[in-house]
Amino acid sequence: MDETVAEYIRRTVLKIPRDEIKTMLEKWGFLSETQLQTVNFHQIKENISLDVVQLCEENSADIKQAAVLDIIYNHIYPNKRVWSVYQMNKRGEEMEFFDLTDFKKKFKRRLRSALKNVTINFREYEDNAIWIRIAWGTPYTKPNQYKTSYAVYHSQTPYVFISASVLRSNLPLLCQALVVASNYHDIREMELRSHSLNSLKDIVFKRYSQNFQTYYPRPLQERNVALESADPRIVQESRNEKERIQRVNREVFGDGPQPKLEFAQYKLETMFKSDPKMDVLDKKEPFRCLVKFSSPHLLESLKSLAPAGMADAPLSPLLTCIPQKARNYFKIREKKGFFPGSFVSP
Amino acid sequence: MEEGKVYSPDGVFAHLAMLEAQAHEAAVKQEEKEQQEEKLARLKARVQELRAQRDELRAKVDLQQKGQLGKEGVVSDPAQPSARAVVEWNIKRIKAMLQVFYLTGISGKLTKRGVCFCISTAYEGTYLDSYHLDLLTKPEEVQIHRHSIPIFIPLEQIATKYLQTDIRRFLAVLSDHLNAYVGRRYQADQLQEHFSNQIEGTLQRNSLCNLLVFNYNVSKKSQTFPFNARLLYGDLCCSLPTEVIVSCTPDAPASLAARAAAHSDAFRRVALHKAFRSFGSAAESVDGAP
């Protein structure tokens, strides 16, 4: 077995939390049940990884199997990477059958014709997600397994989720291969980025909770009864207002959990509006300003702003339009009222 | 600190404590009074109820005596059904109507700026997912404001064709697409769930479930999967395939090859999991025949 492959497997195993190593190796399926039983998974990770490498040596693992282990790791811990969303366009209206084998073939052929030294691996999952792992080399060097890009594509959708590596120069190659393999015409990057891959999917596939008005009987929401059983001598002076805020909040955000985004960025290119007497800027130029909201869970915190009394309800549409517009990077130019910047042309 | 007008011998805090105790007493008394009043009101209502019941029974007895009792129980009071009964009947009727609309698959509710439609899907008696469409009805055009239609359903195409001109058709076509999609998905899921030991690995499918490829066998115990099926669903509004190719591995016995054609026909005509069920029973009958 190649030294580099052994080292790569060892480092991949070291990344996995100790309690999860056994399960992940079972998912991998490369080592047999009997082989796994010979490993003591309670020792320190350093030793576990060495034992695993030893077993892989017995089975003569090659880079392909090692890559599969890497995909499995990234599939279970996708939040360690930053994912961007790309949108593809096609001009025709023909319905595609989307044959998986066809897709894989076209992708590999296209990518390899541009750059021979790449390792390409695919893995399909039950939700119709196709995970593609690419390790990049150069025309003169072998692929570097530690510089990988991941692309996740759901068939017959125009969206691809890409976690590029440090080598952004290879991105156009990847995009081209995706477009060709999926029978689209062009691709552009959307202004939507997050660590949480599933939340990005929820946003563009419209799987997040939207509050639709219907007669369909929904289970009644339990009111927060704890508030009302407090000391009867305490009177809620602004009960109506509180209820209005709850209602407005629910209309905007829906009842369910929000997709998980870490930040929203607003690039302002608007004129600074000040008291004319102050004459702060004698040159009438746009005042460039960048506003960035960060949070471990941005949308949930926005949802709790009004009920916590920190903001007026309804919130600014600039904040609440994020899931619907499927973007968390905005450019605000000078226009009447609010108008988020138009798409940057591809 | 301001000088209080009242000086008590023990100090301000003691005074406050006394006031609090007084307030507490007053509150307790007030509560008692309210409870009494509540009880009184309840008893009064009960009296009313009992009186009404008594009147009802009296009326029944009268009618019985006059010998006009026809079907039992219907007599109660033909002239003046109680207001409460009317309201209840109305509520029941409206609920039934809403249920009917829901069962037809397309229901809608007027919103401030338009209509919100709910398309419910089902396949052969099993209720599946519901999808929503929030439309804005502006004077010049109808716009889709929000929706929860899956991204791989060609919503934009259907909307471009029908939304402005014929909303009914738009909804019908969209409903057909959605129902067919969930139908195809349901069949594939059923196949994967109930016949997993007859299929090699997992089904190869795609988001729309309009292309299925798998290797299979008809008997549950065999380790080989001589048949290969490739089902294409060319019509997105249909839950049956338009093209079926069933082939055998080259080294398969001739008897199996002959059956491939029969399978192909079955896949084209009936639901996927039902076709498989029929293979199973056919295989058993063949094996059982002497």
Side-chain angles (χ1 to χ4, degrees):
Chain A
M1 188 168 76
D2 199 339
E3 267 303 307
T4 49
V5 173
E7 181 60 13
Y8 185 69
I9 295 178
R10 192 186 73 83
R11 292 215 198 167
T12 311
V13 172
L14 280 177
K15 279 199 291 192
I16 311 172
R18 194 170 65 170
D19 301 330
E20 303 293 321
I21 298 182
K22 183 151 188 250
T23 340
M24 224 176 275
L25 291 176
E26 282 167 356
K27 271 206 181 79
W28 188 32
F30 179 65
L31 300 173
S32 69
E33 201 43 58
T34 33
Q35 280 178 309
L36 287 176
Q37 275 169 10
T38 64
V39 181
N40 173 13
F41 289 101
H42 296 293
Q43 54 185 336
I44 56 168
K45 274 213 288 194
E46 189 67 49
N47 295 344
I48 299 179
S49 65
L50 291 171
D51 287 350
V52 170
V53 168
Q54 182 64 33
L55 290 173
C56 292
E57 186 85 53
E58 289 170 16
N59 290 13
S60 328
D62 65 15
I63 192 58
K64 196 154 182 266
Q65 275 96 22
V68 170
L69 183 60
D70 189 41
I71 299 185
I72 294 174
Y73 171 76
N74 279 285
H75 178 253
I76 298 181
Y77 299 103
N79 299 348
K80 296 213 185 275
R81 303 178 84 105
V82 177
W83 298 88
S84 298
V85 189
Y86 286 72
Q87 186 176 22
M88 298 190 283
N89 280 319
K90 71 160 102 188
R91 273 187 280 276
E93 276 193 12
E94 336 85 47
M95 185 209 29
E96 295 292 336
F97 280 108
F98 192 82
D99 190 333
L100 183 62
T101 1
D102 201 37
F103 173 82
K104 294 201 264 195
K105 214 163 55 171
K106 282 194 189 158
F107 182 87
K108 284 201 271 210
R109 194 166 56 199
R110 176 68 195 207
L111 196 54
R112 291 221 165 94
S113 71
L115 179 62
K116 276 213 181 47
N117 289 325
V118 279
T119 318
I120 306 174
N121 292 85
F122 298 90
R123 193 166 168 91
E124 301 85 55
Y125 286 91
E126 272 182 8
D127 56 348
N128 294 309
I130 304 166
W131 277 64
I132 312 172
R133 173 188 182 275
I134 304 117
W136 303 97
T138 68
Y140 310 106
T141 58
K142 272 186 16 182
N144 183 344
Q145 299 302 327
Y146 300 94
K147 294 236 167 27
T148 51
S149 298
Y150 274 88
V152 178
Y153 179 59
H154 285 246
S155 50
Q156 292 157 325
T157 66
Y159 299 105
V160 191
F161 307 89
I162 299 183
S163 169
S165 66
V166 187
L167 302 170
R168 279 187 75 82
S169 54
N170 289 319
L171 214 44
L173 289 177
L174 174 56
C175 290
Q176 270 299 307
L178 284 164
V179 164
V180 165
S182 55
N183 290 318
Y184 279 82
H185 286 276
D186 54 53
I187 183 169
R188 68 174 182 90
E189 186 174 2
M190 290 173 70
E191 306 286 345
L192 185 60
R193 249 155 258 146
S194 174
H195 278 279
S196 169
L197 175 62
N198 284 331
S199 292
L200 292 175
K201 288 191 193 183
D202 285 345
I203 291 176
V204 295
F205 294 156
K206 306 235 181 278
R207 303 192 302 212
Y208 62 96
S209 82
Q210 300 179 70
N211 210 14
F212 291 105
Q213 303 181 45
T214 54
Y215 289 118
Y216 181 79
R218 283 179 309 177
L220 290 170
Q221 292 289 321
E222 291 273 331
R223 282 277 185 85
N224 200 351
V225 190
L227 279 175
E228 282 144 20
S229 62
D231 193 323
R233 291 177 296 179
I234 301 176
V235 172
Q236 295 273 357
E237 277 303 320
S238 50
R239 171 170 294 181
N240 285 342
E241 178 60 14
K242 273 200 161 67
E243 283 175 6
R244 183 193 75 91
I245 291 177
Q246 291 285 359
R247 193 175 32 88
V248 165
N249 227 33
R250 186 184 272 165
E251 271 171 34
V252 169
F253 289 98
D255 291 323
Q258 301 294 311
K260 194 164 184 217
L261 297 173
E262 292 87 42
F263 48 84
Q265 189 169 294
Y266 299 83
K267 202 164 175 185
L268 298 171
E269 288 170 6
T270 49
M271 307 296 274
F272 185 73
K273 290 184 175 59
S274 72
D275 193 345
K277 283 183 258 175
M278 281 172 70
D279 201 24
V280 174
L281 292 176
D282 40 352
K283 293 178 285 191
K284 286 296 172 197
E285 259 184 27
F287 186 73
R288 289 173 217 286
C289 172
L290 189 77
V291 180
K292 185 167 174 178
F293 294 86
S294 311
S295 164
H297 198 324
L298 181 70
L299 293 175
E300 278 293 340
S301 39
L302 289 177
K303 184 175 171 183
S304 54
L305 276 180
M310 293 194 215
D312 291 329
L315 287 176
S316 159
L318 278 170
L319 294 169
T320 56
C321 71
I322 292 173
Q324 201 194 331
K325 289 217 165 5
R327 60 190 305 166
N328 57 352
Y329 283 77
F330 294 85
K331 253 203 190 98
I332 304 175
R333 299 201 185 93
E334 192 66 46
K335 266 265 171 125
K336 230 166 77 167
F338 117 90
F339 193 77
S342 49
F343 293 136
V344 179
S345 58
Chain B
M1 221 164 91
E2 292 171 21
E3 290 173 305
K5 294 284 180 190
V6 178
Y7 267 86
S8 88
D10 308 305
V12 175
F13 277 119
H15 187 66
L16 280 174
M18 184 199 68
L19 286 173
E20 191 184 9
Q22 281 180 1
H24 179 73
E25 265 181 53
V28 165
K29 278 204 188 115
Q30 175 75 2
E31 211 180 328
E32 274 179 19
K33 185 163 157 245
E34 279 175 9
Q35 277 181 357
Q36 296 259 12
E37 284 177 7
E38 226 182 296
K39 198 168 168 195
L40 187 58
R42 259 186 293 145
L43 287 171
K44 279 190 183 164
R46 182 87 181 116
V47 165
Q48 293 277 45
E49 240 180 277
L50 289 168
R51 275 193 190 143
Q53 243 185 340
R54 177 203 61 187
D55 290 345
E56 220 181 285
L57 289 168
R58 248 188 215 164
K60 262 198 191 158
V61 166
D62 283 351
L63 283 170
Q64 195 166 26
Q65 284 174 350
K66 289 184 198 152
Q68 282 181 11
L69 237 178
K71 307 184 210 127
E72 47 181 2
V74 185
V75 190
S76 51
D77 201 343
Q80 201 69 300
S82 71
R84 189 194 162 100
V86 171
V87 167
E88 277 179 9
W89 179 77
N90 265 329
I91 290 177
K92 232 162 128 186
R93 192 174 64 97
I94 293 178
K95 273 193 180 156
M97 191 123 73
L98 288 174
Q99 182 72 353
V100 166
F101 278 124
Y102 168 63
L103 290 173
T104 61
I106 306 179
S107 56
K109 181 174 184 210
L110 288 174
T111 61
K112 269 181 275 186
R113 300 194 285 167
V115 192
C116 184
F117 286 103
C118 172
I119 301 181
S120 315
T121 58
Y123 180 72
E124 298 207 343
T126 314
Y127 283 107
L128 297 163
D129 304 327
S130 292
Y131 303 98
H132 295 91
L133 254 181
D134 208 350
L135 297 178
L136 298 177
T137 45
K138 298 204 183 133
E140 329 82 47
E141 56 163 8
V142 181
Q143 228 182 44
I144 300 180
H145 178 49
R146 308 181 295 172
H147 66 87
S148 63
I149 313 277
I151 190 68
F152 39 79
I153 301 284
L155 176 64
E156 267 170 41
Q157 285 175 33
I158 305 174
T160 326
K161 269 199 199 150
Y162 304 112
L163 183 59
Q164 306 304 328
T165 48
D166 191 348
I167 272 199
R168 259 201 202 145
R169 189 131 179 239
F170 164 73
L171 288 171
V173 171
L174 184 59
S175 176
D176 285 344
H177 272 87
L178 289 168
N179 273 289
Y181 155 67
V182 299
R184 295 192 296 266
R185 190 187 65 188
Y186 181 75
Q187 290 174 60
D189 289 342
Q190 288 290 299
L191 189 67
Q192 189 70 61
E193 196 181 312
H194 296 293
F195 298 96
S196 49
N197 49 1
Q198 286 176 240
I199 300 178
E200 184 177 23
T202 51
L203 285 178
Q204 183 201 316
R205 47 161 119 178
N206 55 27
S207 297
L208 267 171
C209 287
N210 67 349
L211 171 63
L212 295 176
V213 182
F214 52 94
N215 294 329
Y216 68 99
N217 197 327
V218 283
S219 84
K220 299 193 210 327
K221 295 153 211 134
S222 164
Q223 293 294 328
T224 60
F225 304 93
F227 295 103
N228 172 279
R230 194 181 164 86
L231 281 71
L232 278 88
Y233 297 77
D235 184 359
L236 283 185
C237 293
C238 191
S239 56
L240 285 175
T242 48
E243 198 185 313
V244 177
I245 305 171
V246 179
S247 53
C248 261
T249 49
D251 55 341
S255 57
L256 284 184
R259 285 207 272 174
H263 288 185
S264 175
D265 187 56
F267 285 138
R268 237 182 293 251
R269 281 183 303 109
V270 292
L272 199 52
H273 50 297
K274 290 192 180 157
F276 253 72
R277 224 171 281 154
S278 69
F279 299 162
S281 50
E284 279 161 21
S285 63
V286 163
D287 293 336

